[in-house]
Amino acid sequence: MTTRPKIAIIGGGPGGLMLARLLLLRGLEPTVFERDRHAGDRPQGGSLDLHAETGQQAIARAGLEAEFRAVARPEDQGDRLYDQNGTLLFDRDGAGDNRPEVDRTALRQILLGSLAPMTLRWASKVDAVTPIEAGGFDVVVDGISERFDIVIGADGAWSRVRALLSDARPLYEGVTLVEFGFAAERHPDVDGLVGSGKMFAVGDNRVLIAQRNGHRHIRGYAGLRLPEAEARGWMSLGDDRIRAMLRDRFAGWAPSLVHLIDSGELIAVRPLYALPIDHSWQSRVGLTLLGDAAHLMSPFGGEGVNLALADAVDLADALTSGDGWGAVAAYEAAMMRRARPAAEGAAEGLAGAISAAGVAAVLDQYRQRVEA
Ligand SMILES: Cc1cc2nc3c(=O)[nH]c(=O)nc-3n(C[C@H](O)[C@H](O)[C@H](O)COP(=O)(O)OP(=O)(O)OC[C@H]3O[C@@H](n4cnc5c(N)ncnc54)[C@H](O)[C@@H]3O)c2cc1C
């Protein structure tokens, strides 16, 4: 590795942007390729909670604590659990917890604002990464190639870079989330259901979730078991058809809960995928992965973004350690050791919540967290 290698980061999600920020702080000048045309190109998704040892630690290393505090919502860490009849079984306001929530858009905005001009190239969907015999890689966007010494795949679930390192493909988890949005002012009933953070209503193999976001916005999710082909079919249906199918699947649930399906703005149908829990690869000089590209898991563990940010810290340390590619190989091994229990937890969380005994499983999980 040269002292100032030319580095391409493929993907401007939280992991890729955090890595770019940390490398810039150490005098390197990475280039981030992002397929979105601009920051507001597509809905970025809902609220995320940043954990002390991973997400918050990364924010501190990036020197962005003040910016984070300005948008974080420590007041939104509460949990509520209802059964399908609308009976409240658990209610905790989360005051004093240390997992502040932040809107994904706000987190991305902080990271974008911390980069030097020209670091990020919008509307740059990478079509291919091609190894060069003499060393290094060509990154191809719209038929134009540019040569880099090091390429980092921070390109999420359907990473193109990953294919150069492993044959692993994300597998469907059997569960699909349909995402809704609500303005709290216009939906006082939904506002009342949520409490001070997030609510789960759990019934036989189905869940309804609603979570506070910033700016008095609420995100809702209807989660259910669907075969993969059917779930992908739902992605091309109109809103009315999807709502009708959901109403059918949630028949018999309390009207106060079904109201979430009827009244929200429908945002997206999201089949959930995960990489195999033991995913790993033979280290290859000049090419590596971070975040979802390396260890995609279902959101039922609440760890994905935290791991992506922690990976960025460790990879920035490895790339600037002066110890050559061996340091990056060590990063890869440590990253996969850290991701494994989180991936197991996410798979167990999903299997427990979306099951015949889901309500007991989630209640048990909440009680254990209080006792811990
Ligand atoms: C519904 C849902 C809820 C979630 N909730 C939580 C939560 O509460 N807590 C938590 O920790 N995690 C949560 N997650 C997971 C979390 O969103 C991810 O783990 C996290 O975003 C991973 O960050 P990343 O940077 O690795 O990848 P991503 O955020 O996926 O970013 C990848 C970026 O790469 C870009 N890209 C992809 N392909 C290309 C290409 N070929 N060329 C150029 N750019 C490309 C994409 O446009 C994107 O901007 C949730 C996920 C979902 C789906």
Side-chain angles (χ1 to χ4, degrees), residues 50-85:
L50 293 200
H51 305 169
E53 303 301 322
T54 46
Q56 290 179 48
Q57 171 78 5
I59 294 286
R61 289 284 298 273
L64 297 170
E65 284 165 300
E67 290 82 349
F68 178 69
R69 269 197 303 275
V71 293
R73 290 176 288 104
E75 67 278 16
D76 282 351
Q77 298 180 75
D79 285 304
R80 275 188 178 178
L81 174 65
Y82 298 89
D83 66 15
Q84 70 180 62
N85 303 314

PDB file of all heavy atoms in Angstrom, residues 50-85:
ATOM      1  N   LEU A  50     -28.664   5.007  18.348  1.00  0.00           N
ATOM      2  CA  LEU A  50     -27.217   4.800  18.331  1.00  0.00           C
ATOM      3  C   LEU A  50     -26.740   4.326  19.699  1.00  0.00           C
ATOM      4  O   LEU A  50     -27.037   4.942  20.720  1.00  0.00           O
ATOM      5  CB  LEU A  50     -26.486   6.081  17.923  1.00  0.00           C
ATOM      6  CG  LEU A  50     -26.701   6.559  16.482  1.00  0.00           C
ATOM      7  CD1 LEU A  50     -25.574   7.495  16.069  1.00  0.00           C
ATOM      8  CD2 LEU A  50     -26.811   5.427  15.475  1.00  0.00           C
ATOM      9  N   HIS A  51     -25.984   3.225  19.676  1.00  0.00           N
ATOM     10  CA  HIS A  51     -25.534   2.596  20.920  1.00  0.00           C
ATOM     11  C   HIS A  51     -24.179   3.168  21.341  1.00  0.00           C
ATOM     12  O   HIS A  51     -23.375   3.586  20.495  1.00  0.00           O
ATOM     13  CB  HIS A  51     -25.438   1.081  20.734  1.00  0.00           C
ATOM     14  CG  HIS A  51     -26.711   0.461  20.238  1.00  0.00           C
ATOM     15  ND1 HIS A  51     -26.801  -0.831  19.799  1.00  0.00           N
ATOM     16  CD2 HIS A  51     -27.965   0.983  20.109  1.00  0.00           C
ATOM     17  CE1 HIS A  51     -28.054  -1.090  19.426  1.00  0.00           C
ATOM     18  NE2 HIS A  51     -28.769   0.000  19.604  1.00  0.00           N
ATOM     19  N   ALA A  52     -23.934   3.131  22.663  1.00  0.00           N
ATOM     20  CA  ALA A  52     -22.753   3.811  23.218  1.00  0.00           C
ATOM     21  C   ALA A  52     -21.446   3.291  22.636  1.00  0.00           C
ATOM     22  O   ALA A  52     -20.592   4.067  22.200  1.00  0.00           O
ATOM     23  CB  ALA A  52     -22.753   3.664  24.741  1.00  0.00           C
ATOM     24  N   GLU A  53     -21.282   1.954  22.602  1.00  0.00           N
ATOM     25  CA  GLU A  53     -19.978   1.379  22.243  1.00  0.00           C
ATOM     26  C   GLU A  53     -19.713   1.362  20.747  1.00  0.00           C
ATOM     27  O   GLU A  53     -18.586   1.089  20.335  1.00  0.00           O
ATOM     28  CB  GLU A  53     -19.894  -0.083  22.757  1.00  0.00           C
ATOM     29  CG  GLU A  53     -20.120  -0.248  24.242  1.00  0.00           C
ATOM     30  CD  GLU A  53     -19.108   0.563  25.051  1.00  0.00           C
ATOM     31  OE1 GLU A  53     -17.947   0.634  24.633  1.00  0.00           O
ATOM     32  OE2 GLU A  53     -19.511   1.158  26.065  1.00  0.00           O
ATOM     33  N   THR A  54     -20.744   1.595  19.936  1.00  0.00           N
ATOM     34  CA  THR A  54     -20.555   1.474  18.484  1.00  0.00           C
ATOM     35  C   THR A  54     -20.937   2.788  17.784  1.00  0.00           C
ATOM     36  O   THR A  54     -20.071   3.585  17.453  1.00  0.00           O
ATOM     37  CB  THR A  54     -21.388   0.279  17.956  1.00  0.00           C
ATOM     38  OG1 THR A  54     -22.717   0.347  18.521  1.00  0.00           O
ATOM     39  CG2 THR A  54     -20.750  -1.040  18.293  1.00  0.00           C
ATOM     40  N   GLY A  55     -22.242   3.037  17.614  1.00  0.00           N
ATOM     41  CA  GLY A  55     -22.681   4.220  16.870  1.00  0.00           C
ATOM     42  C   GLY A  55     -22.216   5.527  17.509  1.00  0.00           C
ATOM     43  O   GLY A  55     -21.663   6.405  16.839  1.00  0.00           O
ATOM     44  N   GLN A  56     -22.429   5.673  18.818  1.00  0.00           N
ATOM     45  CA  GLN A  56     -22.048   6.930  19.488  1.00  0.00           C
ATOM     46  C   GLN A  56     -20.532   7.104  19.523  1.00  0.00           C
ATOM     47  O   GLN A  56     -20.008   8.207  19.390  1.00  0.00           O
ATOM     48  CB  GLN A  56     -22.593   6.962  20.912  1.00  0.00           C
ATOM     49  CG  GLN A  56     -24.098   7.097  20.998  1.00  0.00           C
ATOM     50  CD  GLN A  56     -24.561   7.108  22.452  1.00  0.00           C
ATOM     51  OE1 GLN A  56     -24.023   7.809  23.295  1.00  0.00           O
ATOM     52  NE2 GLN A  56     -25.561   6.304  22.755  1.00  0.00           N
ATOM     53  N   GLN A  57     -19.848   5.987  19.698  1.00  0.00           N
ATOM     54  CA  GLN A  57     -18.382   6.019  19.706  1.00  0.00           C
ATOM     55  C   GLN A  57     -17.853   6.522  18.346  1.00  0.00           C
ATOM     56  O   GLN A  57     -16.922   7.328  18.275  1.00  0.00           O
ATOM     57  CB  GLN A  57     -17.892   4.592  19.992  1.00  0.00           C
ATOM     58  CG  GLN A  57     -16.433   4.360  19.831  1.00  0.00           C
ATOM     59  CD  GLN A  57     -15.655   4.891  21.036  1.00  0.00           C
ATOM     60  OE1 GLN A  57     -16.236   5.339  22.011  1.00  0.00           O
ATOM     61  NE2 GLN A  57     -14.354   4.878  20.929  1.00  0.00           N
ATOM     62  N   ALA A  58     -18.488   6.074  17.277  1.00  0.00           N
ATOM     63  CA  ALA A  58     -18.071   6.509  15.930  1.00  0.00           C
ATOM     64  C   ALA A  58     -18.313   8.011  15.761  1.00  0.00           C
ATOM     65  O   ALA A  58     -17.464   8.729  15.218  1.00  0.00           O
ATOM     66  CB  ALA A  58     -18.834   5.708  14.873  1.00  0.00           C
ATOM     67  N   ILE A  59     -19.456   8.465  16.238  1.00  0.00           N
ATOM     68  CA  ILE A  59     -19.763   9.905  16.147  1.00  0.00           C
ATOM     69  C   ILE A  59     -18.689  10.709  16.874  1.00  0.00           C
ATOM     70  O   ILE A  59     -18.218  11.755  16.397  1.00  0.00           O
ATOM     71  CB  ILE A  59     -21.171  10.183  16.746  1.00  0.00           C
ATOM     72  CG1 ILE A  59     -22.271   9.537  15.897  1.00  0.00           C
ATOM     73  CG2 ILE A  59     -21.410  11.679  16.945  1.00  0.00           C
ATOM     74  CD1 ILE A  59     -22.574  10.222  14.593  1.00  0.00           C
ATOM     75  N   ALA A  60     -18.274  10.219  18.043  1.00  0.00           N
ATOM     76  CA  ALA A  60     -17.241  10.921  18.821  1.00  0.00           C
ATOM     77  C   ALA A  60     -15.915  10.925  18.056  1.00  0.00           C
ATOM     78  O   ALA A  60     -15.243  11.958  17.962  1.00  0.00           O
ATOM     79  CB  ALA A  60     -17.084  10.259  20.188  1.00  0.00           C
ATOM     80  N   ARG A  61     -15.543   9.775  17.497  1.00  0.00           N
ATOM     81  CA  ARG A  61     -14.270   9.700  16.758  1.00  0.00           C
ATOM     82  C   ARG A  61     -14.284  10.626  15.540  1.00  0.00           C
ATOM     83  O   ARG A  61     -13.248  11.124  15.113  1.00  0.00           O
ATOM     84  CB  ARG A  61     -14.019   8.247  16.311  1.00  0.00           C
ATOM     85  CG  ARG A  61     -13.674   7.311  17.440  1.00  0.00           C
ATOM     86  CD  ARG A  61     -12.249   7.470  17.935  1.00  0.00           C
ATOM     87  NE  ARG A  61     -11.251   7.172  16.923  1.00  0.00           N
ATOM     88  CZ  ARG A  61     -10.755   5.959  16.670  1.00  0.00           C
ATOM     89  NH1 ARG A  61     -11.159   4.923  17.390  1.00  0.00           N
ATOM     90  NH2 ARG A  61      -9.849   5.783  15.743  1.00  0.00           N
ATOM     91  N   ALA A  62     -15.477  10.851  14.998  1.00  0.00           N
ATOM     92  CA  ALA A  62     -15.596  11.727  13.821  1.00  0.00           C
ATOM     93  C   ALA A  62     -15.682  13.194  14.217  1.00  0.00           C
ATOM     94  O   ALA A  62     -15.759  14.066  13.344  1.00  0.00           O
ATOM     95  CB  ALA A  62     -16.835  11.323  13.014  1.00  0.00           C
ATOM     96  N   GLY A  63     -15.681  13.480  15.529  1.00  0.00           N
ATOM     97  CA  GLY A  63     -15.740  14.870  15.995  1.00  0.00           C
ATOM     98  C   GLY A  63     -17.085  15.524  15.715  1.00  0.00           C
ATOM     99  O   GLY A  63     -17.177  16.727  15.478  1.00  0.00           O
ATOM    100  N   LEU A  64     -18.163  14.709  15.758  1.00  0.00           N
ATOM    101  CA  LEU A  64     -19.482  15.228  15.379  1.00  0.00           C
ATOM    102  C   LEU A  64     -20.493  15.149  16.523  1.00  0.00           C
ATOM    103  O   LEU A  64     -21.705  15.088  16.300  1.00  0.00           O
ATOM    104  CB  LEU A  64     -20.005  14.448  14.154  1.00  0.00           C
ATOM    105  CG  LEU A  64     -19.155  14.592  12.885  1.00  0.00           C
ATOM    106  CD1 LEU A  64     -19.603  13.604  11.814  1.00  0.00           C
ATOM    107  CD2 LEU A  64     -19.214  16.025  12.359  1.00  0.00           C
ATOM    108  N   GLU A  65     -19.979  15.164  17.769  1.00  0.00           N
ATOM    109  CA  GLU A  65     -20.897  15.003  18.906  1.00  0.00           C
ATOM    110  C   GLU A  65     -21.884  16.163  19.021  1.00  0.00           C
ATOM    111  O   GLU A  65     -23.060  15.959  19.304  1.00  0.00           O
ATOM    112  CB  GLU A  65     -20.093  14.884  20.204  1.00  0.00           C
ATOM    113  CG  GLU A  65     -19.458  13.515  20.347  1.00  0.00           C
ATOM    114  CD  GLU A  65     -18.385  13.508  21.406  1.00  0.00           C
ATOM    115  OE1 GLU A  65     -17.406  14.260  21.263  1.00  0.00           O
ATOM    116  OE2 GLU A  65     -18.530  12.743  22.365  1.00  0.00           O
ATOM    117  N   ALA A  66     -21.405  17.392  18.829  1.00  0.00           N
ATOM    118  CA  ALA A  66     -22.307  18.552  18.979  1.00  0.00           C
ATOM    119  C   ALA A  66     -23.405  18.494  17.912  1.00  0.00           C
ATOM    120  O   ALA A  66     -24.596  18.719  18.208  1.00  0.00           O
ATOM    121  CB  ALA A  66     -21.517  19.848  18.857  1.00  0.00           C
ATOM    122  N   GLU A  67     -23.011  18.169  16.698  1.00  0.00           N
ATOM    123  CA  GLU A  67     -23.992  18.073  15.600  1.00  0.00           C
ATOM    124  C   GLU A  67     -25.010  16.967  15.897  1.00  0.00           C
ATOM    125  O   GLU A  67     -26.199  17.113  15.627  1.00  0.00           O
ATOM    126  CB  GLU A  67     -23.279  17.772  14.265  1.00  0.00           C
ATOM    127  CG  GLU A  67     -22.448  18.908  13.713  1.00  0.00           C
ATOM    128  CD  GLU A  67     -21.048  19.004  14.329  1.00  0.00           C
ATOM    129  OE1 GLU A  67     -20.788  18.311  15.339  1.00  0.00           O
ATOM    130  OE2 GLU A  67     -20.248  19.796  13.814  1.00  0.00           O
ATOM    131  N   PHE A  68     -24.509  15.857  16.459  1.00  0.00           N
ATOM    132  CA  PHE A  68     -25.410  14.745  16.777  1.00  0.00           C
ATOM    133  C   PHE A  68     -26.385  15.139  17.890  1.00  0.00           C
ATOM    134  O   PHE A  68     -27.598  14.914  17.771  1.00  0.00           O
ATOM    135  CB  PHE A  68     -24.598  13.509  17.182  1.00  0.00           C
ATOM    136  CG  PHE A  68     -25.450  12.337  17.581  1.00  0.00           C
ATOM    137  CD1 PHE A  68     -26.213  11.667  16.647  1.00  0.00           C
ATOM    138  CD2 PHE A  68     -25.523  11.921  18.909  1.00  0.00           C
ATOM    139  CE1 PHE A  68     -27.025  10.594  17.004  1.00  0.00           C
ATOM    140  CE2 PHE A  68     -26.330  10.860  19.283  1.00  0.00           C
ATOM    141  CZ  PHE A  68     -27.078  10.186  18.325  1.00  0.00           C
ATOM    142  N   ARG A  69     -25.854  15.760  18.944  1.00  0.00           N
ATOM    143  CA  ARG A  69     -26.726  16.169  20.069  1.00  0.00           C
ATOM    144  C   ARG A  69     -27.848  17.092  19.594  1.00  0.00           C
ATOM    145  O   ARG A  69     -28.956  17.052  20.094  1.00  0.00           O
ATOM    146  CB  ARG A  69     -25.907  16.865  21.161  1.00  0.00           C
ATOM    147  CG  ARG A  69     -25.394  15.909  22.229  1.00  0.00           C
ATOM    148  CD  ARG A  69     -24.968  16.649  23.481  1.00  0.00           C
ATOM    149  NE  ARG A  69     -23.946  17.644  23.213  1.00  0.00           N
ATOM    150  CZ  ARG A  69     -22.635  17.390  23.158  1.00  0.00           C
ATOM    151  NH1 ARG A  69     -22.206  16.155  23.350  1.00  0.00           N
ATOM    152  NH2 ARG A  69     -21.767  18.341  22.904  1.00  0.00           N
ATOM    153  N   ALA A  70     -27.533  17.925  18.596  1.00  0.00           N
ATOM    154  CA  ALA A  70     -28.523  18.909  18.116  1.00  0.00           C
ATOM    155  C   ALA A  70     -29.733  18.229  17.461  1.00  0.00           C
ATOM    156  O   ALA A  70     -30.823  18.811  17.428  1.00  0.00           O
ATOM    157  CB  ALA A  70     -27.863  19.877  17.136  1.00  0.00           C
ATOM    158  N   VAL A  71     -29.561  17.016  16.965  1.00  0.00           N
ATOM    159  CA  VAL A  71     -30.688  16.361  16.267  1.00  0.00           C
ATOM    160  C   VAL A  71     -31.150  15.068  16.953  1.00  0.00           C
ATOM    161  O   VAL A  71     -32.185  14.502  16.583  1.00  0.00           O
ATOM    162  CB  VAL A  71     -30.335  16.043  14.787  1.00  0.00           C
ATOM    163  CG1 VAL A  71     -30.174  17.312  13.982  1.00  0.00           C
ATOM    164  CG2 VAL A  71     -29.092  15.174  14.682  1.00  0.00           C
ATOM    165  N   ALA A  72     -30.373  14.592  17.948  1.00  0.00           N
ATOM    166  CA  ALA A  72     -30.734  13.317  18.602  1.00  0.00           C
ATOM    167  C   ALA A  72     -31.962  13.516  19.483  1.00  0.00           C
ATOM    168  O   ALA A  72     -32.236  14.622  19.957  1.00  0.00           O
ATOM    169  CB  ALA A  72     -29.563  12.820  19.441  1.00  0.00           C
ATOM    170  N   ARG A  73     -32.704  12.438  19.697  1.00  0.00           N
ATOM    171  CA  ARG A  73     -33.931  12.514  20.491  1.00  0.00           C
ATOM    172  C   ARG A  73     -33.876  11.498  21.648  1.00  0.00           C
ATOM    173  O   ARG A  73     -34.473  10.429  21.581  1.00  0.00           O
ATOM    174  CB  ARG A  73     -35.139  12.254  19.584  1.00  0.00           C
ATOM    175  CG  ARG A  73     -35.389  13.400  18.591  1.00  0.00           C
ATOM    176  CD  ARG A  73     -36.512  13.128  17.615  1.00  0.00           C
ATOM    177  NE  ARG A  73     -36.108  12.130  16.640  1.00  0.00           N
ATOM    178  CZ  ARG A  73     -36.482  10.872  16.628  1.00  0.00           C
ATOM    179  NH1 ARG A  73     -37.335  10.409  17.510  1.00  0.00           N
ATOM    180  NH2 ARG A  73     -36.036  10.047  15.702  1.00  0.00           N
ATOM    181  N   PRO A  74     -33.164  11.860  22.738  1.00  0.00           N
ATOM    182  CA  PRO A  74     -33.090  10.945  23.885  1.00  0.00           C
ATOM    183  C   PRO A  74     -34.460  10.723  24.523  1.00  0.00           C
ATOM    184  O   PRO A  74     -34.673   9.738  25.229  1.00  0.00           O
ATOM    185  CB  PRO A  74     -32.121  11.648  24.855  1.00  0.00           C
ATOM    186  CG  PRO A  74     -32.026  13.058  24.392  1.00  0.00           C
ATOM    187  CD  PRO A  74     -32.374  13.086  22.940  1.00  0.00           C
ATOM    188  N   GLU A  75     -35.397  11.625  24.251  1.00  0.00           N
ATOM    189  CA  GLU A  75     -36.735  11.519  24.869  1.00  0.00           C
ATOM    190  C   GLU A  75     -37.602  10.448  24.194  1.00  0.00           C
ATOM    191  O   GLU A  75     -38.685  10.149  24.688  1.00  0.00           O
ATOM    192  CB  GLU A  75     -37.449  12.888  24.810  1.00  0.00           C
ATOM    193  CG  GLU A  75     -37.828  13.400  23.421  1.00  0.00           C
ATOM    194  CD  GLU A  75     -36.677  14.098  22.671  1.00  0.00           C
ATOM    195  OE1 GLU A  75     -35.509  13.935  23.075  1.00  0.00           O
ATOM    196  OE2 GLU A  75     -36.954  14.764  21.656  1.00  0.00           O
ATOM    197  N   ASP A  76     -37.122   9.870  23.109  1.00  0.00           N
ATOM    198  CA  ASP A  76     -37.953   8.920  22.345  1.00  0.00           C
ATOM    199  C   ASP A  76     -37.479   7.471  22.487  1.00  0.00           C
ATOM    200  O   ASP A  76     -37.512   6.695  21.525  1.00  0.00           O
ATOM    201  CB  ASP A  76     -37.959   9.312  20.860  1.00  0.00           C
ATOM    202  CG  ASP A  76     -38.889  10.488  20.592  1.00  0.00           C
ATOM    203  OD1 ASP A  76     -39.645  10.871  21.501  1.00  0.00           O
ATOM    204  OD2 ASP A  76     -38.841  11.028  19.468  1.00  0.00           O
ATOM    205  N   GLN A  77     -37.012   7.087  23.685  1.00  0.00           N
ATOM    206  CA  GLN A  77     -36.458   5.733  23.831  1.00  0.00           C
ATOM    207  C   GLN A  77     -37.432   4.745  24.472  1.00  0.00           C
ATOM    208  O   GLN A  77     -37.055   3.639  24.847  1.00  0.00           O
ATOM    209  CB  GLN A  77     -35.187   5.784  24.671  1.00  0.00           C
ATOM    210  CG  GLN A  77     -34.086   6.621  24.036  1.00  0.00           C
ATOM    211  CD  GLN A  77     -32.832   6.656  24.887  1.00  0.00           C
ATOM    212  OE1 GLN A  77     -32.087   5.687  24.942  1.00  0.00           O
ATOM    213  NE2 GLN A  77     -32.605   7.753  25.576  1.00  0.00           N
ATOM    214  N   GLY A  78     -38.684   5.156  24.620  1.00  0.00           N
ATOM    215  CA  GLY A  78     -39.653   4.301  25.308  1.00  0.00           C
ATOM    216  C   GLY A  78     -40.126   3.122  24.464  1.00  0.00           C
ATOM    217  O   GLY A  78     -39.953   3.089  23.244  1.00  0.00           O
ATOM    218  N   ASP A  79     -40.731   2.131  25.136  1.00  0.00           N
ATOM    219  CA  ASP A  79     -41.296   0.953  24.461  1.00  0.00           C
ATOM    220  C   ASP A  79     -42.679   0.657  24.997  1.00  0.00           C
ATOM    221  O   ASP A  79     -42.895   0.716  26.222  1.00  0.00           O
ATOM    222  CB  ASP A  79     -40.424  -0.290  24.732  1.00  0.00           C
ATOM    223  CG  ASP A  79     -39.147  -0.271  23.940  1.00  0.00           C
ATOM    224  OD1 ASP A  79     -39.221  -0.163  22.701  1.00  0.00           O
ATOM    225  OD2 ASP A  79     -38.059  -0.339  24.560  1.00  0.00           O
ATOM    226  N   ARG A  80     -43.579   0.340  24.103  1.00  0.00           N
ATOM    227  CA  ARG A  80     -44.909  -0.162  24.491  1.00  0.00           C
ATOM    228  C   ARG A  80     -45.174  -1.461  23.752  1.00  0.00           C
ATOM    229  O   ARG A  80     -44.760  -1.600  22.597  1.00  0.00           O
ATOM    230  CB  ARG A  80     -45.996   0.823  24.073  1.00  0.00           C
ATOM    231  CG  ARG A  80     -46.229   1.912  25.076  1.00  0.00           C
ATOM    232  CD  ARG A  80     -47.432   2.724  24.692  1.00  0.00           C
ATOM    233  NE  ARG A  80     -47.671   3.749  25.691  1.00  0.00           N
ATOM    234  CZ  ARG A  80     -48.632   4.639  25.626  1.00  0.00           C
ATOM    235  NH1 ARG A  80     -49.479   4.640  24.595  1.00  0.00           N
ATOM    236  NH2 ARG A  80     -48.788   5.531  26.566  1.00  0.00           N
ATOM    237  N   LEU A  81     -45.912  -2.342  24.426  1.00  0.00           N
ATOM    238  CA  LEU A  81     -46.330  -3.590  23.772  1.00  0.00           C
ATOM    239  C   LEU A  81     -47.825  -3.792  23.979  1.00  0.00           C
ATOM    240  O   LEU A  81     -48.325  -3.681  25.115  1.00  0.00           O
ATOM    241  CB  LEU A  81     -45.574  -4.784  24.376  1.00  0.00           C
ATOM    242  CG  LEU A  81     -46.013  -6.166  23.884  1.00  0.00           C
ATOM    243  CD1 LEU A  81     -45.721  -6.353  22.394  1.00  0.00           C
ATOM    244  CD2 LEU A  81     -45.319  -7.266  24.702  1.00  0.00           C
ATOM    245  N   TYR A  82     -48.539  -4.037  22.898  1.00  0.00           N
ATOM    246  CA  TYR A  82     -49.967  -4.372  22.940  1.00  0.00           C
ATOM    247  C   TYR A  82     -50.149  -5.783  22.408  1.00  0.00           C
ATOM    248  O   TYR A  82     -49.341  -6.267  21.598  1.00  0.00           O
ATOM    249  CB  TYR A  82     -50.774  -3.449  22.019  1.00  0.00           C
ATOM    250  CG  TYR A  82     -50.730  -1.981  22.362  1.00  0.00           C
ATOM    251  CD1 TYR A  82     -49.736  -1.155  21.837  1.00  0.00           C
ATOM    252  CD2 TYR A  82     -51.706  -1.403  23.171  1.00  0.00           C
ATOM    253  CE1 TYR A  82     -49.702   0.202  22.124  1.00  0.00           C
ATOM    254  CE2 TYR A  82     -51.682  -0.044  23.460  1.00  0.00           C
ATOM    255  CZ  TYR A  82     -50.687   0.756  22.934  1.00  0.00           C
ATOM    256  OH  TYR A  82     -50.664   2.093  23.222  1.00  0.00           O
ATOM    257  N   ASP A  83     -51.239  -6.433  22.828  1.00  0.00           N
ATOM    258  CA  ASP A  83     -51.619  -7.651  22.104  1.00  0.00           C
ATOM    259  C   ASP A  83     -52.564  -7.257  20.966  1.00  0.00           C
ATOM    260  O   ASP A  83     -52.872  -6.063  20.788  1.00  0.00           O
ATOM    261  CB  ASP A  83     -52.219  -8.711  23.050  1.00  0.00           C
ATOM    262  CG  ASP A  83     -53.547  -8.286  23.649  1.00  0.00           C
ATOM    263  OD1 ASP A  83     -54.173  -7.309  23.151  1.00  0.00           O
ATOM    264  OD2 ASP A  83     -53.976  -8.923  24.639  1.00  0.00           O
ATOM    265  N   GLN A  84     -53.038  -8.227  20.209  1.00  0.00           N
ATOM    266  CA  GLN A  84     -53.819  -7.883  19.016  1.00  0.00           C
ATOM    267  C   GLN A  84     -55.207  -7.335  19.345  1.00  0.00           C
ATOM    268  O   GLN A  84     -55.884  -6.780  18.481  1.00  0.00           O
ATOM    269  CB  GLN A  84     -53.907  -9.072  18.065  1.00  0.00           C
ATOM    270  CG  GLN A  84     -54.753 -10.214  18.567  1.00  0.00           C
ATOM    271  CD  GLN A  84     -54.773 -11.345  17.564  1.00  0.00           C
ATOM    272  OE1 GLN A  84     -53.745 -11.938  17.255  1.00  0.00           O
ATOM    273  NE2 GLN A  84     -55.945 -11.651  17.031  1.00  0.00           N
ATOM    274  N   ASN A  85     -55.607  -7.483  20.629  1.00  0.00           N
ATOM    275  CA  ASN A  85     -56.886  -6.891  21.047  1.00  0.00           C
ATOM    276  C   ASN A  85     -56.727  -5.443  21.485  1.00  0.00           C
ATOM    277  O   ASN A  85     -57.684  -4.801  21.917  1.00  0.00           O
ATOM    278  CB  ASN A  85     -57.483  -7.692  22.215  1.00  0.00           C
ATOM    279  CG  ASN A  85     -57.667  -9.140  21.834  1.00  0.00           C
ATOM    280  OD1 ASN A  85     -58.177  -9.430  20.752  1.00  0.00           O
ATOM    281  ND2 ASN A  85     -57.218 -10.055  22.696  1.00  0.00           N
TER     282      ASN A  85
END
